[in-house]
Amino acid sequence: MSAVPSLRHLLLLRPHLRFIALSTPSSPFLSYAPSHHFPPSSLRILSSSSSPTLTQEEADEAVGKGSSLIDVNPPRGTRDFPPDDMRLRNWLFQNFREVSRILSFEEVDFPVLESEALFIRKAGEEITQQLYNFEDKGGRRVVLRPEITPSLARLVIKQGKSVSLPLKWFTIGQCWRYERMTRGRRREHYQWNMDIFGVSKVRGEAELIQAVVLLFERLGINSSDVGIRVSSRKVLQAVLQMYAIPENLFTQVCVIVDKLGKITREEIEKELLSLGVSIEAVNGIIEVLSLKSLSKLEEVLGSEGEAVSELKKLFSLAESYGYADWICFDASVVRGLAYYTGIVFEAFDREGKLRAICGGGRYDRLLSTFGSEDISACGFGFGDAVIVELLKDKGLLPGLAHKVDDIVFPLDEELDGTASRIASSLRKKGRSVDLVEDKRLKWVFKHAERIGASRLILVGNSEWERGAVRVKNLSTREEFEVKIDELD
Ligand code: HAM
């Protein structure tokens, strides 16, 4: 080991130290803050009041020759998007946008940083335990949003009577959850959300499910790869009524039974019993949640209640839309978020290898939890991570190469002005142009192949004397001399 302690080494030895600014020409990767805040060549290290600080000497050593490279990985559970990944993300988002457009939804956006109060719920949901929350410099409690639905509700309340209902909004945004990571589950992910406010009938859910199915179809996924499980929280509500369980326990019961399959039945029983639910009711709930057919559900609950009638209506609409083969009734779908009140659904891979691909449902009473008048609402969130895993498994990832139209290359240094004029004029016509200089011709040809260029425009002295350039068509390998005013 080097005698000079590395930065990492120093941090290991003195974990209480907090680096706030590393701004030296010799350590560009370590610039955490604008250099004008700190004298050049200085390393400022803050420590908690009682902890010792690094001496200037130690600090100088840390940024000197002996420093090791910082960890180049992004924080655990987060991602960089180098060009290939960014192309894939853009392609996916384009599909999200296109489906939303087809269903006549308008795009909206919200800050990733929200007030913590928007996400404080008391039902014991996992999501509220996974918050990235902190106090900002003004002493306000804030969060990096774990989901977008509360922001959407906030904006609907803020816009008040100025919006005409029904409103159909979509958004694509990053969400943060301090999650235990599994395949497709990360600490940050992007979510495509489509939500409808002001439609109380199951038409709303039927439209949303069509959007999900259209998206899958556009990506090349069919109903033998993926299914959508559908149920209704009203099923559970009806069972609670059968056992005379007080209404105010409804949300907590939903959040607990959503853990079925994730924790043991005994643990679920224990949690329900501690809420005050009788053992008969616990057994009744678990029995009903195992139902996988609507007719069986009808036998248990009768045909009068909203749970059964709404589900039947949704399945009949699914026939008319033409996506009935994608959906199935499954009473075990409850969803883990407190605010759902009616139909709930989740898309899953039929091989059962991955976590839910998307999920949503009706939340008719969310606005009143924020002190406003309720408006019926439903929507879904569709993450970017699980779907990419599924596309990988199915061999459906698209080939998305970097693509430019032209490479302009001056063969002589003194022609760099001419090359700039040519590149600029082509760019003004909308062509994508890579202007290359200081390279060998062999490198330029290889580069052209790498970036999928269609033409190579060589600016050489002899042609330029005739007011022309050499143009090589890289797909046909043909080469011509083209007058500069005829180049387009
Ligand atoms: P959610 O089920 O918590 O619902 O998340 C929706 C989708 O976001 C999931 O099905 C999954 O695709 C993706 N997702 C969630 N957490 C992660 C994670 N840690 N890593 C990767 N992907 C993840 C909601 O968030 C609701 N707000 C959806 C909604 C909108 N309901 C009504 N409107």
Side-chain angles (χ1 to χ4, degrees):
M1 195 191 287
S2 153
V4 182
S6 69
L7 249 183
R8 198 190 310 246
H9 189 190
L10 283 170
L11 277 172
L12 282 175
L13 292 172
R14 304 228 185 144
H16 54 275
L17 297 171
R18 272 196 302 132
F19 287 67
I20 61 157
L22 287 161
S23 163
T24 75
S26 61
S27 60
F29 290 117
L30 301 178
S31 291
Y32 286 9
S35 54
H36 61 265
H37 288 158
F38 305 100
S41 305
S42 78
L43 168 72
R44 293 229 181 152
I45 296 164
L46 283 188
S47 65
S48 57
S49 52
S50 59
S51 317
T53 47
L54 276 190
T55 63
Q56 187 61 44
E57 205 179 323
E58 284 173 324
D60 287 344
E61 273 179 358
V63 292
K65 282 209 177 88
S67 326
S68 58
L69 184 67
I70 56 156
D71 187 352
V72 292
N73 294 306
R76 190 169 155 72
T78 70
R79 295 165 290 178
D80 293 319
F81 287 88
D84 286 350
D85 296 343
M86 197 62 206
R87 269 195 292 280
L88 182 63
R89 183 175 120 185
N90 283 338
W91 167 81
L92 184 64
F93 288 11
Q94 260 160 21
N95 279 291
F96 290 160
R97 289 208 162 84
E98 190 51 16
V99 169
S100 308
R101 185 192 67 77
I102 288 170
L103 274 111
S104 150
F105 278 57
E106 289 182 284
E107 187 161 6
V108 288
D109 199 13
F110 309 94
V112 177
L113 187 75
E114 278 280 13
S115 131
E116 189 184 57
L118 209 51
F119 296 90
I120 299 294
R121 300 192 289 250
K122 295 189 191 76
E125 300 151 278
E126 203 179 29
I127 199 170
T128 57
Q129 291 147 24
Q130 297 172 329
L131 285 183
Y132 276 89
N133 48 356
F134 55 97
E135 195 170 289
D136 73 7
K137 292 185 199 304
R140 298 170 205 91
R141 296 293 309 168
V142 288
V143 298
L144 294 179
R145 66 178 177 204
E147 56 157 341
I148 309 181
T149 314
S151 305
L152 202 69
R154 179 177 62 63
L155 185 59
V156 170
I157 296 170
K158 186 176 159 209
Q159 299 237 322
K161 300 258 181 283
S162 70
V163 290
S164 67
L165 297 176
L167 67 80
K168 303 197 274 180
W169 284 351
F170 82 96
T171 188
I172 302 169
Q174 198 180 32
C175 298
W176 291 82
R177 300 181 188 185
Y178 198 82
E179 177 111 43
R180 201 176 58 80
M181 287 192 307
T182 54
R183 193 170 170 218
R185 278 289 183 278
R186 329 193 47 87
R187 299 216 166 135
E188 63 55 45
H189 70 281
Y190 284 86
Q191 241 189 51
W192 167 44
N193 279 234
M194 289 179 78
D195 289 84
I196 304 175
F197 280 77
V199 173
S200 56
K201 293 187 176 168
V202 287
R203 167 69 65 195
E205 291 90 323
E207 290 275 289
L208 296 171
I209 294 173
Q210 183 180 35
V212 171
V213 169
L214 282 177
L215 190 272
F216 284 134
E217 286 173 344
R218 287 178 73 86
L219 304 187
I221 289 166
N222 57 46
S223 60
S224 56
D225 302 320
V226 161
I228 301 172
R229 295 191 184 105
V230 181
S231 184
S232 172
R233 284 224 173 152
K234 290 179 184 171
V235 170
L236 208 51
Q237 203 171 17
V239 179
L240 297 196
Q241 270 162 13
M242 275 164 48
Y243 290 97
I245 297 167
E247 274 227 16
N248 61 359
L249 295 185
F250 174 66
T251 310
Q252 279 156 289
V253 171
C254 289
V255 170
I256 294 170
V257 298
D258 177 63
K259 297 181 208 158
L260 260 174
K262 295 170 201 150
I263 59 174
T264 64
R265 181 181 167 146
E266 289 69 39
E267 285 168 304
I268 302 268
E269 271 181 26
K270 212 167 126 201
E271 287 193 36
L272 288 174
L273 290 171
S274 74
L275 262 191
V277 178
S278 67
I279 186 69
E280 295 74 35
V282 171
N283 291 334
I285 290 168
I286 291 175
E287 205 170 303
V288 171
L289 290 185
S290 68
L291 297 178
K292 303 269 184 268
S293 101
L294 259 184
S295 52
K296 280 265 156 46
L297 182 74
E298 201 170 344
E299 277 172 30
V300 178
L301 298 183
S303 52
E304 301 302 305
E306 284 179 359
V308 171
S309 65
E310 286 176 2
L311 283 163
K312 279 168 85 175
K313 178 70 185 172
L314 182 61
F315 279 82
S316 117
L317 284 173
E319 294 284 348
S320 320
Y321 278 90
Y323 60 68
D325 51 334
W326 287 81
I327 67 170
C328 54
F329 171 71
D330 183 337
S332 71
V333 177
V334 178
R335 309 257 311 128
L337 298 165
Y339 47 68
Y340 293 114
T341 53
I343 301 271
V344 277
F345 57 91
E346 269 177 5
F348 64 99
D349 69 298
R350 292 198 191 269
E351 285 185 56
K353 288 193 196 157
L354 301 164
R355 302 246 324 243
I357 307 168
C358 77
R362 176 162 291 279
Y363 50 101
D364 285 347
R365 294 193 291 273
L366 180 59
L367 299 201
S368 61
T369 65
F370 297 138
S372 179
E373 223 171 275
D374 274 323
I375 300 175
S376 54
C378 55
F380 67 79
F382 192 122
D384 66 332
V386 184
I387 187 68
V388 167
E389 293 301 320
L390 183 69
L391 292 171
K392 261 188 225 161
D393 283 1
K394 301 279 170 202
L396 290 170
L397 283 181
L400 300 165
H402 179 39
K403 201 106 194 62
V404 307
D405 296 323
D406 301 322
I407 291 183
V408 174
F409 180 56
L411 292 164
D412 219 308
E413 208 175 301
E414 74 220 28
L415 287 171
D416 62 350
T418 309
S420 317
R421 269 196 294 285
I422 293 170
S424 171
S425 136
L426 289 169
R427 284 169 180 163
K428 281 180 189 165
K429 288 175 187 153
R431 293 184 69 81
S432 64
V433 178
D434 192 12
L435 179 56
V436 175
E437 52 187 15
D438 299 331
K439 291 285 179 197
R440 288 174 183 279
L441 195 54
K442 199 168 156 208
W443 183 93
V444 178
F445 273 105
K446 273 215 181 109
H447 178 60
E449 214 169 284
R450 216 170 28 236
I451 66 173
S454 15
R455 291 192 310 185
L456 179 57
I457 297 166
L458 298 169
V459 189
N461 266 321
S462 49
E463 288 86 2
W464 188 241
E465 277 164 17
R466 294 189 290 275
V469 287
R470 284 213 79 69
V471 175
K472 187 166 174 91
N473 182 321
L474 291 163
S475 50
T476 62
R477 300 270 144 199
E478 288 168 306
E479 213 174 304
F480 322 86
E481 187 169 308
V482 179
K483 288 269 179 239
I484 195 65
D485 45 9
E486 288 165 16
L487 189 67
D488 50 16

